[in-house]
Amino acid sequence: MRVLMWEAKGDADGLIAWWRDHVEPGLPDGVVAELYRSADRVVALVRPAESGFRLPEPPAELIARPPHVWPFETVSVAT
């Protein structure tokens, strides 16, 4: 399974409101996102994220810099 980690620095309250109003409604069926926050950052874990899946850019007034995005793959651990 692919997981997309998205991290934005800026106005955390504004970014969360933007996410709920503009990103969540547009997520494809079956795609789930978890949001986490700190004082000035918002992190989203989006799964499953197909290859080439992209999130929209937040408004410039909400961010201190462009969001960072990292794709991850599930790792099987031998037992």
Side-chain angles (χ1 to χ4, degrees):
M1 175 188 298
R2 288 179 54 94
V3 175
L4 189 71
M5 181 177 158
W6 177 92
E7 181 261 345
K9 180 178 180 182
D11 173 5
D13 290 330
L15 284 163
I16 291 168
W18 168 79
W19 182 278
R20 290 185 175 147
D21 291 343
H22 299 282
V23 178
E24 276 183 8
L27 290 176
D29 288 340
V31 173
V32 177
E34 297 176 56
L35 287 182
Y36 300 89
R37 69 166 295 162
S38 67
D40 66 344
R41 294 176 198 267
V42 175
V43 171
L45 299 178
V46 181
R47 62 180 149 264
E50 298 298 324
S51 181
F53 179 80
R54 299 185 67 97
L55 292 167
E57 291 292 321
E61 64 269 14
L62 297 178
I63 56 175
R65 56 157 171 74
H68 293 174
V69 180
W70 300 273
F72 291 93
E73 300 272 342
T74 301
V75 177
S76 297
V77 179
T79 57

